[in-house]
Amino acid sequence: MTHELKILPQYFWEVWHGNKTFELRKDDRNYVVGDKLLLKEFKDGRFTGCQTLRTITYILKGGLYGLEEGYVILAIN
């Protein structure tokens, strides 16, 4: 499955350059390891046309280690 998600420019470019290899998201889409994230840069209320496709490689679910229940950290490559 591919999830299309908005991402702010400062985070988009860190993912683009390989510095940011995770996403913190609300756990409302039934994410599964192997799913794709289509991250679409969103600035000033509109999409810029820049996007990148990443794969979920690991999921840390909330409720442990200080991560609020109902959220996930998605490791991506």
Side-chain angles (χ1 to χ4, degrees), residues 2 13 21 32 35 37 40 45 50-51 59 67 69 73 76:
T2 299
W13 291 107
T21 58
V32 176
D35 282 358
L37 300 183
K40 300 171 84 172
C50 295
Q51 60 187 33
I59 300 172
L67 181 59
E69 192 167 335
I73 296 175
I76 56 175

Side-chain angles (χ1 to χ4, degrees), residues 13-67:
W13 291 107
E14 291 298 320
V15 171
W16 180 267
H17 291 292
N19 299 324
K20 183 174 180 281
T21 58
F22 65 91
E23 278 294 306
L24 172 62
R25 295 287 173 157
K26 190 167 190 144
D27 190 12
D28 60 354
R29 293 176 177 249
N30 194 30
Y31 297 106
V32 176
V33 170
D35 282 358
K36 307 288 186 197
L37 300 183
L38 181 59
L39 300 172
K40 300 171 84 172
E41 186 184 35
F42 193 76
K43 182 178 180 182
D44 299 326
R46 65 178 182 81
F47 292 104
T48 66
C50 295
Q51 60 187 33
T52 186
L53 185 66
R54 303 296 163 135
T55 302
I56 298 172
T57 59
Y58 182 83
I59 300 172
L60 178 65
K61 293 195 175 269
L64 298 170
Y65 311 115
L67 181 59

